Amino acid sequence: MQLKTILLGFSLSLFSAIVMAGAGHDHGHSHSHAPVNQETAKTNATKIVATLVKKEKLAKSWTSVTASSAETKVVKDNSEWVVVFVNDKIVDSAKQKLYIFLTMDGEYIAANHTGK
C-alpha cells in the first residue's frame, strides 16, 4: 500500500515538473527567433546597459542615457543590431560612446566602446 502511494506521489511530481517546463514557462529568454523592431532593440539594449551598471562594468551615469541610434549591420554574413549610447558625462572621449550588439531577435551579443 505504501509503495503505491510513493509511486503515485513520484508520478504526480514528475508530471508537474514536465508541465512547468512546457512552452508557456518563461525562463528569461525567447525561443521565437523572430526579428525585433528598432524600438525593441533599443529597449533591450537599455536593459543591458542597466545590467552592466549594476554589475559595475559601467559608471552609474550610463543609467540616465538613452539610445541615440539603433541600426542593423552585417558581421561575418550575419545581421545584428548595433545600438549606440552617448554619455557626455564621461571624461575620456574614447569611452563616451557605448555600442551594444544584439542578435536580430534582440538577444545580447556584446558591448564595447569601439563599435567593432
Side-chain angles (χ1 to χ4, degrees):
M1 183 78 157
Q2 288 183 354
L3 181 59
K4 282 185 178 180
T5 305
I6 292 171
L7 288 175
L8 179 62
F10 176 75
S11 297
L12 290 174
S13 298
L14 185 60
F15 178 75
S16 297
I18 291 169
V19 169
M20 290 302 292
H25 180 71
D26 180 20
H27 49 89
H29 63 274
S30 170
H31 291 279
S32 67
H33 302 292
V36 298
N37 62 26
Q38 187 179 43
E39 281 307 309
T40 302
K42 285 182 177 183
T43 299
N44 291 3
T46 300
K47 290 176 184 176
I48 297 301
V49 171
T51 300
L52 293 172
V53 169
K54 187 175 181 179
K55 291 181 177 182
E56 298 181 354
K57 303 283 184 186
L58 292 173
K60 290 182 182 182
S61 64
W62 285 100
T63 57
S64 62
V65 177
T66 58
S68 61
S69 68
E71 298 177 6
T72 58
K73 178 179 178 180
V74 177
V75 178
K76 296 180 184 175
D77 295 329
N78 291 318
S79 293
E80 58 188 46
W81 283 105
V82 181
V83 184
V84 181
F85 295 81
V86 180
N87 186 349
D88 294 330
K89 295 178 184 171
I90 302 297
V91 177
D92 183 354
S93 62
K95 305 251 178 164
Q96 286 181 341
K97 281 189 178 181
L98 177 66
Y99 299 85
I100 303 291
F101 299 88
L102 306 171
T103 62
M104 290 306 294
D105 59 333
E107 298 293 322
Y108 176 69
I109 298 171
N112 65 42
H113 294 286
T114 65
K116 298 177 184 177

